[in-house]
Amino acid sequence: MTDITCKLLVIGAGPGGYVCAIRAGQLGLDTVIVESTKLGGSCLNVGCIPSKAMIHVAEEFEKAAEAAAGKTPFGLTVSQPALDLKQAVAWKDGIVQRLNNGVAGLLRKAKVKIVHGKARFRDGRTVLVETETGPKTVHAETIVIATGSAPVELPFLPFGGNVISSTGALALTELPKRLVVVGGGYIGLELGTAFARMGSKVTVVEAQEKILPLYDAELTGPVAKRLTALGVEVLTGARALGPTAKGDGLRVETADGKERSLPADRILVTVGRKPVTDDLGLDNLVLDMDGRFIRIGERCETAMRGIYAIGDVTGEPMLAHRAMAQGEMVAEIVAGLPRAWDKRSIPAICFTDPEIVSVGLSPEEAKRAGHELKIGQFPFAANGRAMTRHGETGFVRVVAQAGSDLVLGIQAVGQGVSELSAAFGLAIEMGATLADIAGTIHAHPTLGEAFPEAAMKALGHALHI
Ligand SMILES: Cc1cc2nc3c(=O)[nH]c(=O)nc-3n(C[C@H](O)[C@H](O)[C@H](O)COP(=O)(O)OP(=O)(O)OC[C@H]3O[C@@H](n4cnc5c(N)ncnc54)[C@H](O)[C@@H]3O)c2cc1C
């Protein structure tokens, strides 16, 4: 048994953990990071990055297929395209591999010691790591739990055979002819849309009354319309019951209470994610929990001094950029810098078609918080760049406090709007008013011009509508 002693031990090298370790290393803290699988966590290996790679493949394939069918309005034709999904997955895996190596390089540059193995708490200062070369004991002054999350399994539809999680969906080398997606949240819809664009017949089963229940109907409307255009059947208010007797599909109870069998080559279950805390030895600690998630305070501190938790293991919003921001903050706190969680917003994006971005408060949330509102909305139908990209669907919406004109929230739906999230986030973080946004010169012709136009609309003088 080998012993390692360090100032900071980070458990889990996902976006939360590896960012925390890099920042700690930069600050001169003697840091060890333990990872049981691959550097980069869910995000890099089976989440954000591979899903966006496959969404890109689907988009390119659909464009080619539309051109082959003579459906482009600008006269582009090509011969029938074919997609080698095996090669697409290999390309995606290559990107993941490059990023894995990149994370390893960054950790090394920051002089962080990487230990490959599964960590388990022995007490609040000691962790046992099972490595390929035997157990190692790590003693640390401070420990950060960044063990992330894993897909939730339905007991009556366990993963295996033709029932797959998002991880399985991203590794498919053969296109399922019929794909049923259980769960109409962002992960299910991003992947479901991608498979539909590649040619699968997709059905989405969602228990709630609408898809993407966390977003308002104005934002989700264009996504629902596009799903219909893609031939995706969306069953809302429907409950998955289990596999059909022959195992060739899914039994569901539809909104009218009737039972229906949906034929499926693959059933993709995306009904949420659960924290990874099993076998972590949490029973040897005294932590407060929020259900199955680890409860944290403003500075990501847990109920035990010297133990922090960051990222998905602490609950919603389970997003990579939140985990990274928490990781950076905790490293600085451990190094003695004066830091607090002072973020004004955490942007959320659905990489559906069209994409949805939401930063800050929605109109409903702002009203619930007691604000009188000024709202301005500008359609991409009136934006020159959107027209030249053949993407006139959607809008930008700015939600401001009446009186002060302080911008409380910004949302958008449309093709390519994910890239506008940076400007939206900066505006909220800097405490912009409607006049600040309206008064900023935005380059022409860009989708971003819809942003000042929406602010001008809220001020009562939009120029292009
Ligand atoms: C299909 C999909 C698409 C997504 N798309 C996006 C997106 O577009 N944008 C976005 O912001 N988020 C997205 N997410 C969510 C994002 O992946 C997570 O929010 C993010 O990865 C959380 O980071 P984390 O560091 O908390 O945990 P994780 O990334 O889950 O990393 C935790 C790490 O800890 C390791 N670990 C666990 N237990 C132990 C142990 N006992 N010992 C050692 N190591 C351990 C794990 O192996 C893992 O590598 C997506 C997720 C999925 C599944």
Side-chain angles (χ1 to χ4, degrees):
M1 168 105 64
T2 343
D3 275 25
I4 302 171
T5 301
C6 61
K7 165 82 183 160
L8 177 68
L9 168 64
V10 181
I11 305 176
Y18 84 70
V19 165
C20 183
I22 289 173
R23 186 69 189 118
Q26 286 174 345
L27 290 164
L29 300 179
D30 173 22
T31 304
V32 172
I33 191 163
V34 184
E35 171 54 55
S36 58
T37 57
K38 283 177 156 185
L39 298 176
S42 308
C43 170
L44 206 157
N45 294 292
V46 293
C48 326
I49 298 295
S51 62
K52 274 66 219 180
M54 295 314 289
I55 287 168
H56 177 70
V57 170
E59 188 180 337
E60 293 300 308
F61 177 73
E62 193 197 8
K63 275 189 207 158
E66 278 189 349
K71 283 190 189 162
T72 62
F74 39 84
L76 175 70
T77 51
V78 296
S79 58
Q80 197 57 39
L83 177 61
D84 181 346
L85 197 56
K86 214 171 178 177
Q87 194 176 329
V89 168
W91 170 73
K92 176 263 293 179
D93 289 342
I95 297 169
V96 169
Q97 185 63 53
R98 263 159 50 206
L99 289 170
N100 286 139
N101 295 343
V103 171
L106 292 170
L107 286 166
R108 273 196 294 271
K109 187 171 154 216
K111 302 200 166 42
V112 174
K113 183 173 174 50
I114 305 168
V115 176
H116 293 281
K118 197 166 165 60
R120 186 181 162 80
F121 278 97
R122 208 163 68 190
D123 59 46
R125 295 281 179 275
T126 323
V127 162
L128 201 69
V129 187
E130 290 301 334
T131 73
E132 271 186 2
T133 52
K136 281 187 171 48
T137 305
V138 186
H139 307 275
E141 259 175 58
T142 306
I143 301 177
V144 177
I145 305 172
T147 50
S149 65
V152 167
E153 196 171 34
L154 292 171
F156 52 86
L157 209 55
F159 296 130
N162 66 350
V163 181
I164 54 174
S165 67
S166 53
T167 303
L170 291 166
L172 288 179
T173 49
E174 242 178 68
L175 195 70
K177 279 202 179 70
R178 298 157 310 174
L179 175 73
V180 172
V181 181
V182 181
Y186 87 89
I187 293 179
L189 287 188
E190 284 185 9
L191 295 176
T193 305
F195 278 101
R197 295 176 95 176
M198 289 189 278
S200 297
K201 167 78 187 108
V202 176
T203 308
V204 177
V205 178
E206 166 58 49
Q208 300 211 32
E209 293 312 308
K210 62 187 279 292
I211 52 163
L212 299 172
L214 296 179
Y215 296 89
D216 61 70
E218 259 188 310
L219 289 171
T220 57
V223 175
K225 209 166 149 191
R226 173 77 170 118
L227 288 171
T228 306
L230 280 168
V232 175
E233 186 180 9
V234 179
L235 302 173
T236 51
R239 234 165 26 97
L241 299 174
T244 52
K246 285 191 191 155
D248 56 357
L250 179 74
R251 288 184 303 111
V252 293
E253 185 185 301
T254 49
D256 56 9
K258 294 200 176 120
E259 193 173 318
R260 190 175 147 191
S261 289
L262 303 171
D265 303 301
R266 299 281 181 176
I267 301 168
L268 166 59
V269 179
T270 52
V271 292
R273 299 192 49 92
K274 60 178 183 190
V276 175
T277 50
D278 291 349
D279 302 329
L280 190 56
L282 291 192
D283 41 341
N284 293 324
L285 307 179
V286 190
L287 300 183
D288 289 342
M289 305 297 284
D290 268 329
R292 298 174 68 174
F293 295 96
I294 298 175
R295 180 177 296 171
I296 51 167
E298 285 279 287
R299 288 154 56 95
C300 293
E301 72 280 15
T302 68
M304 276 180 87
R305 190 186 297 260
I307 299 187
Y308 293 82
I310 58 175
D312 284 10
V313 77
T314 65
E316 294 287 356
M318 288 196 253
L319 293 168
H321 41 282
R322 168 180 173 260
M324 291 190 217
Q326 289 177 323
E328 190 217 15
M329 176 187 75
V330 167
E332 296 194 352
I333 290 171
V334 176
L337 299 182
R339 279 297 308 267
W341 186 259
D342 56 359
K343 312 292 178 200
R344 297 191 56 185
S345 68
I346 301 171
I349 300 177
C350 295
F351 291 84
T352 40
D353 181 30
E355 296 170 341
I356 299 178
V357 180
S358 180
V359 185
L361 301 182
S362 68
E364 204 43 54
E365 288 165 338
K367 272 184 219 150
R368 255 187 275 132
H371 296 289
E372 294 279 312
L373 300 181
K374 259 188 201 172
I375 298 175
Q377 189 164 310
F378 187 85
F380 284 118
N383 174 280
R385 182 64 181 132
M387 287 182 194
T388 61
R389 289 163 51 118
H390 185 33
E392 296 97 317
T393 304
F395 57 84
V396 174
R397 181 174 70 196
V398 178
V399 181
Q401 191 180 45
S404 71
D405 284 356
L406 179 72
V407 176
L408 302 170
I410 308 157
Q411 296 85 36
V413 55
Q415 278 174 23
V417 294
S418 54
E419 291 301 329
L420 299 184
S421 67
F424 296 172
L426 190 65
I428 300 263
E429 205 60 49
M430 303 291 287
T433 61
L434 290 171
D436 292 327
I437 296 168
T440 302
I441 298 179
H442 284 68
H444 177 74
T446 60
L447 296 182
E449 286 174 284
F451 187 25
E453 286 281 3
M456 283 189 254
K457 180 85 193 323
L459 290 167
H461 53 79
L463 291 169
H464 290 89
I465 42 171

